[in-house]
Amino acid sequence: MHSKRAPLLLKLSAWAGVLFLHFPLIIIAVYAFNTEDAAFSFPPQGFTLRWFRLAAERQDILQSVGLSLKIAAMATLLALVLGTLAAAALYRRDFAGKNSIMLMFMLPIALPGIITGLSLLSAFRSVDLEPGMLTIVIGHATFCMVIVFNNVIARFRRISYPLIEASMDLGADGWQTFRYIILPNLATALLAGGMLAFALSFDEIIVTTFTAGHERTLPIWLLNQLGRPRDVPITNVVALCVMLLTMLPILGAWYLTKDSTDVAGDGK
């Protein structure tokens, strides 16, 4: 006879862990709607949308958001191209040093951000490249490429290679095989990897701090706001918007890949 107590305790523990992780986020969300004269009081004294209007009128916030969106878009595009090409080169062929190359692909996201940032800054200085928007894009692409690579190589391994050979035997050239066979199978993996890379780049701060120079992305703007207590309500509003903006791509990527075992040509 199995006891039902253990599963219940496990569920309660899981929910307690979720609450512990999300409690600070809930506090930020609640205080983003708090009234003006009670910005630091507990419990919140009222409900207002005034801080959202003020945040939307701040040019420094809009400029930081625009810069972060541009950097995230360019870093994601670069990561999609390089990550897909790397996955195509490594997913099937065995050669000397393959495992070492795979390990090196994982290092940028496995290493602490401060190590990656210092390494990138040293590399940029060695070639006399001034920190700015270009260096931020390159820095973000180094770890965003890992996200794309992992998604794409996993999907490559589930594609039936005889399906590709059959396409070539029937007279299709390399481009036609890629367009009609490979790309449809990779589509959701590419989209999910791109969405995750975009979300990761948009709110990245450690590597950005070392590679930004005088540029101020949205995470750097938020960091600078810590020394301005009078702007705490507006900071809460911006933080809430960042959470929502990064949560949507992550949820979308999860939705696209949750049924990823059903791949065309995999024998199902």
Side-chain angles (χ1 to χ4, degrees), residues 31-214:
Y31 276 87
F33 297 96
N34 198 19
T35 55
E36 178 182 4
D37 59 345
F40 296 97
S41 65
F42 184 84
Q45 301 300 312
F47 179 89
T48 181
L49 295 175
R50 179 172 182 264
W51 305 118
F52 288 84
R53 176 177 60 81
L54 293 177
E57 295 173 353
R58 291 272 297 266
Q59 290 300 315
D60 56 336
I61 297 176
L62 297 178
Q63 291 173 358
S64 297
V65 171
L67 178 62
S68 291
L69 289 173
K70 291 178 183 178
I71 290 173
M74 289 188 287
T76 299
L77 180 61
L78 184 59
L80 281 172
V81 174
L82 296 179
T84 303
L85 292 176
L90 295 173
Y91 86 100
R92 188 167 179 268
R93 302 293 181 184
D94 291 323
F95 53 89
K98 178 179 177 180
N99 292 333
S100 299
I101 294 175
M102 296 276 288
L103 176 62
M104 286 190 289
F105 267 107
M106 302 300 173
L107 281 180
I109 201 170
L111 291 174
I114 189 171
I115 302 299
T116 303
L118 281 171
S119 302
L120 287 168
L121 181 59
S122 299
F124 294 144
R125 285 180 174 175
S126 67
V127 295
D128 295 326
L129 184 60
E130 289 296 325
M133 185 173 178
L134 177 61
T135 57
I136 301 175
V137 171
I138 296 174
H140 286 196
T142 58
F143 54 81
C144 289
M145 185 174 67
V146 180
I147 304 297
V148 176
F149 175 79
N150 285 336
N151 277 272
V152 175
I153 198 169
R155 184 61 57 85
F156 261 126
R157 288 168 176 166
R158 288 196 295 267
I159 298 177
S160 177
Y161 194 75
L163 189 65
I164 299 175
E165 293 177 330
S167 173
M168 303 294 285
D169 290 341
L170 292 173
D173 56 27
W175 167 248
Q176 289 174 322
T177 300
F178 175 78
R179 179 181 177 184
Y180 295 109
I181 303 298
I182 299 177
L183 187 58
N185 282 282
L186 294 181
T188 54
L190 288 171
L191 184 57
M195 294 169 74
L196 286 173
F198 184 90
L200 188 63
S201 173
F202 184 80
D203 64 359
E204 209 290 323
I205 186 170
I206 300 179
V207 173
T208 308
T209 301
F210 289 94
T211 58
H214 297 293

